[in-house]
Amino acid sequence: MILGLGIDVVDVARFMAVLTRTPRLRERVFTPAEGRLPASSLAARFAAKEALAKSLGAPAGLRWLDAEVVSDAAGRPSLVVTGTVAAYAARVGVTSWHVSLSHDAGIASAVVVAEGERS
């Protein structure tokens, strides 16, 4: 059963300007593997983390680094959740995630579906 759905859209240039003005933000939001990606991929991953939070109802206390967007050999994205995100997801019954990323024409977007059983 779908427990939550989140979507987010990010202007890539504006997002990169924020990262340039606040260099430590990259370390607070992205894992080392994510942080090495190009601008459009970073923006899409930021959108995915925002969409993930929205799919959970945007609870307080989630840590950015407790959600990582990884891609398989074919480029298909998935979410790895740990710490605060994993604990909250388990508490509300989330057992799996579905994520879709896109970036085109200076815009990055992400959709996240939280699936599981109501607890």
Side-chain angles (χ1 to χ4, degrees), residues 8-13 39-41 43-44 47 101-110:
D8 199 64
V9 178
V10 174
D11 180 290
V12 176
S40 58
S41 293
L101 307 176
S102 185
H103 41 79
D104 187 31
I107 300 294
S109 62

Side-chain angles (χ1 to χ4, degrees), residues 2 7 11 24 34 37 46 48 52 56 58-60 73 78-79 83 87-88 97 104 107-109 113 119:
I2 294 174
I7 185 169
D11 180 290
R24 292 197 49 169
E34 290 172 321
L37 295 170
F46 181 79
L52 179 149
L56 294 173
S78 61
L79 288 165
Y88 189 84
W97 303 96
D104 187 31
I107 300 294
S109 62
V113 176
S119 53

Side-chain angles (χ1 to χ4, degrees), residues 32-77:
E34 290 172 321
R36 291 188 290 271
L37 295 170
S40 58
S41 293
L42 276 180
R45 278 157 175 76
F46 181 79
K49 292 178 185 215
E50 286 280 322
L52 179 149
K54 291 174 183 177
S55 77
L56 294 173
L62 299 182
R63 293 186 62 238
W64 290 104
L65 295 175
D66 289 346
E68 181 177 23
V69 180
V70 297
S71 297
D72 66 16
R76 182 178 178 181

